[in-house]
Amino acid sequence: MARFVEKLPALKAALGAFDLRQAFAADARRFEKFHLQACGLHLDYSKHWISDEVWRRLGEALEDEQLPAAALRLKQGAAVNTTEGRAATHMDCRQRLSDEQHRMLAFVDAVLSGRHKTPGGKNYQFLLHIGMGGSDLGPRLVVDALKNGTGLSAHFVANADAADLQRSLAACVPDETLVVVTSKTFSTQETLLNAATTRAWLDSAVGAEAARHHMLAITSDALRATDMGFFPHNIYTFPASVGGRFCLWSCAGFAIAAGCGVADYRQLLAGASAMDAHFLSAPLLHNMPMMMAALGCWYRNGWGLHAQGALPYAERLRLLPAWLQQLEMESNGKSASTLSPVPATAPLLFGGTGTCMQHSFGQWLHQGSDIVPVDFIGVLVDDRQSPEHHRVLFAHLLAQSQGLMKGRSVAELQRAGVDAALHQHKFMPGNRPSSILLLSRLDAYHLGALLALYEHKTYVQSVLWGLNAFDQWGVELGKELQTPLLAALSGGAVPEGLDASTHANLNLFLKK
Ligand code: F6P
């Protein structure tokens, strides 16, 4: 039987020419029909290329995919990570706190209250989080969005380029700094390099013995952390069944609790857990992650579009696009599908904050030769900024979504008396799709719900594309090829059989 994504080209053909402006003019209830609320999030998907008939048929086609059963499999710990024979248990992390999470939170509480002091008898003031990918992006995003002055001053390091670490070390006072080395495998080269350099920084400031007390390890491989000199009581673990890009909810979220407070960590998990409940119970056409997943496949596999945009109209969500890129593109940027022929899978995800993006790639969105569906992500109540700023921000969010749909016709330009020589240049095609996704408030609870929403959308799309969302074999080749090149750059032999480009550039570095 044809799968959902294989039915979409025919559905597109059945829809024929579709114009959002005409769709709204023809149906005063369009917004009501294509609008969902869940967990304090409002999803307006009325500005998408869907008619009542198409939406009905999309729903019918989705029924055959058994998505509620797929959601249940995820929840119940089935081995959805087929190539590694593992479950994906990120929902468990927020369903109920593990003993390890309780132990972590108790330690954070002791640090923030001053009961747990540095070996030198001071209160910790700084947190240096060292991680990469999912061991960095999630905690970094959440702390950046929620930091409120109550926790430690948190700084994040990921890149092998020492400029990243140097910037953070310059902001921290060593004898008041808690270093958290976060790595699921405890084998990521950049993380271990940054950890070693940071250890030397601590050693020179507080002495080698005291330095060990300043350093925590958060990992699924406690043995490796122990072998690297971390005190066992300073190692916090999370299960190997928690995927790297899904780990912020686990002890890998240490920086969230220490940087924003234990209450915010708990509220973040509560919001995500509420979205889990919605995902597991809401009927298909009222299921926000399932509908967002279906829409994404509609454009990817029905219309052959190559990209999607994530545009947070909230400076505090500026890191959301980067987190989404790993979540969606590392989960579904694959071609090992159970479907045959393999469908087009995850599109490029790009993004940027509003209003700034209007002054960079906004031009491309309105008049570029490519059409991409975009998610405008906004906030209804933001008590951290003045009403005036918030009104300006929100008005631009609405105007961008409206403008992408409305465009500006030649007739309108003529009526406006625009010089005919400029008509071609000022013409805006319009009919460009977008969602408006609004958080009731930008707080821990609603941020948790938002992140879980996209996690579930990603998982549902992996089901629709026949992919394993939870492995990432594509990152292995680069890592393997780097090893002999690093050896050569470090004075060892130049590998045999290098292509001319790699060889020449290697020599440029060696002979610089
Ligand atoms: O990019 C590959 C990857 O394994 C990601 O999936 C992961 O989030 C990141 O590297 C870091 O891995 P670890 O947490 O094991 O250091």
Side-chain angles (χ1 to χ4, degrees), residues 121-445:
K122 293 185 172 183
N123 288 342
Y124 282 102
Q125 304 293 343
F126 305 90
L127 179 139
L128 180 63
H129 176 104
I130 301 174
M132 176 59 82
S135 294
D136 166 71
L137 291 165
R140 190 192 289 249
L141 158 63
V142 173
V143 170
D144 194 56
L146 298 180
K147 61 190 173 192
N148 49 25
T150 58
L152 302 183
S153 170
H155 303 269
F156 292 84
V157 178
N159 203 334
D161 181 334
D164 194 12
L165 178 59
Q166 288 159 359
R167 182 169 45 226
S168 286
L169 294 182
C172 296
V173 175
D175 70 348
E176 298 172 1
T177 300
L178 188 62
V179 176
V180 183
V181 181
T182 304
S183 175
K184 176 175 178 181
T185 59
F186 234 72
S187 65
T188 299
Q189 182 189 35
E190 301 97 314
T191 301
L192 299 183
L193 174 61
N194 282 321
T197 306
T198 302
R199 175 62 195 270
W201 174 76
L202 278 174
D203 286 355
S204 63
V206 303
E209 189 46 37
R212 289 183 68 195
H213 292 280
H214 284 257
M215 294 191 75
L216 306 183
I218 299 183
T219 182
S220 293
D221 193 332
L223 197 56
R224 286 181 66 89
T226 307
D227 290 349
M228 288 184 192
F230 288 85
F231 288 126
H233 64 271
N234 276 359
I235 299 172
Y236 294 88
T237 59
F238 59 94
S241 59
V242 176
R245 46 195 173 273
F246 299 85
C247 72
L248 72 95
W249 318 99
S250 71
C251 288
F254 181 97
I256 298 167
C260 305
V262 169
D264 265 7
Y265 174 83
R266 288 178 178 275
Q267 276 300 297
L268 183 84
L269 269 59
S273 185
M275 183 54 73
D276 295 344
H278 168 78
F279 175 50
L280 290 162
S281 62
L284 199 53
L285 290 177
H286 300 278
N287 192 301
M288 203 176 275
M290 292 181 187
M291 291 306 45
M292 282 174 66
L295 265 178
C297 291
W298 171 235
Y299 288 112
R300 184 71 172 135
N301 305 104
W303 292 81
L305 300 189
H306 295 274
Q308 60 178 351
L311 308 176
Y313 268 66
E315 189 61 25
R316 289 161 58 201
L317 294 180
R318 63 186 171 162
L319 302 181
L320 180 67
W323 179 78
L324 285 172
Q325 282 181 324
Q326 189 203 16
L327 175 66
E328 298 207 20
M329 297 171 79
E330 192 169 78
S331 294
N332 291 332
K334 295 166 185 170
S335 299
S337 168
T338 56
L339 277 62
S340 180
V342 177
T345 55
L348 165 74
L349 189 149
F350 72 98
T353 49
T355 59
C356 303
M357 74 89 196
Q358 297 163 210
H359 306 272
S360 63
F361 57 79
Q363 162 66 40
W364 182 86
L365 287 176
H366 287 275
Q367 290 186 320
S369 42
D370 290 303
I371 298 176
V372 295
V374 295
D375 288 356
F376 288 99
I377 299 153
V379 178
L380 288 174
V381 176
D382 184 350
D383 47 19
R384 291 205 201 176
Q385 64 175 310
S386 73
E388 181 192 7
H389 278 265
H390 195 203
R391 284 194 296 270
V392 169
L393 180 69
F394 199 77
H396 276 295
L397 184 162
L398 295 181
Q400 287 298 309
S401 177
Q402 182 189 22
L404 285 172
M405 172 180 74
K406 191 173 176 300
R408 172 160 287 162
S409 66
V410 170
E412 287 172 309
L413 293 168
Q414 284 166 335
R415 285 196 294 276
V418 172
D419 182 337
L422 285 178
H423 285 179
Q424 178 192 9
H425 300 279
K426 291 198 169 195
F427 170 71
M428 308 263 186
N431 197 31
R432 296 194 169 191
S434 64
S435 292
I436 293 181
L437 178 58
L438 300 179
L439 284 69
S440 301
R441 307 180 72 90
L442 182 46
D443 56 15
Y445 182 91

